[in-house]
Amino acid sequence: MSQAREMINAHLFPVLAVVATVSSASVAISLRPIAQHSARWNTCYSDSIAWYQANKPDWTVQDKEVFASNFCNGGTPVMPGPGFKPAS
């Protein structure tokens, strides 16, 4: 009985260390596509804000942020104002 306990004690830490390392690597690999998507969205958002600032100076900051977010999330461009008409 004590020989089995010694064997478990000798091998448990390395086995758990390997399992933890593999799990951590798997999580990191799984999160890479989400990080890439976030980077692309941030680039789209900052480019859209810059475009609105250059081309629509009369819009409020809130309108620019809303429309940039809408565009980067795949929404259709709309004109601000009552009723929010689709842009042509």
Side-chain angles (χ1 to χ4, degrees):
M1 185 71 166
S2 67
Q3 187 178 15
R5 181 174 296 242
E6 287 176 22
M7 195 167 187
I8 290 172
N9 287 340
H11 297 291
L12 184 62
F13 182 73
V15 169
L16 289 178
V18 168
V19 169
T21 302
V22 170
S23 298
S24 299
S26 173
V27 168
I29 291 169
S30 298
L31 288 176
R32 180 143 174 91
I34 296 170
Q36 290 173 335
H37 180 267
S38 297
R40 284 190 304 269
W41 193 92
N42 287 336
T43 301
C44 174
Y45 183 78
S46 60
D47 290 348
S48 296
I49 291 291
W51 186 88
Y52 282 124
Q53 287 176 346
N55 294 300
K56 305 290 184 182
D58 56 327
W59 285 13
T60 65
V61 172
Q62 185 178 9
D63 283 341
K64 293 173 189 174
E65 290 175 350
V66 166
F67 290 108
S69 177
N70 179 40
F71 175 73
C72 293
N73 284 327
T76 55
V78 293
M79 299 293 291
F84 287 102
K85 301 172 279 269
S88 52

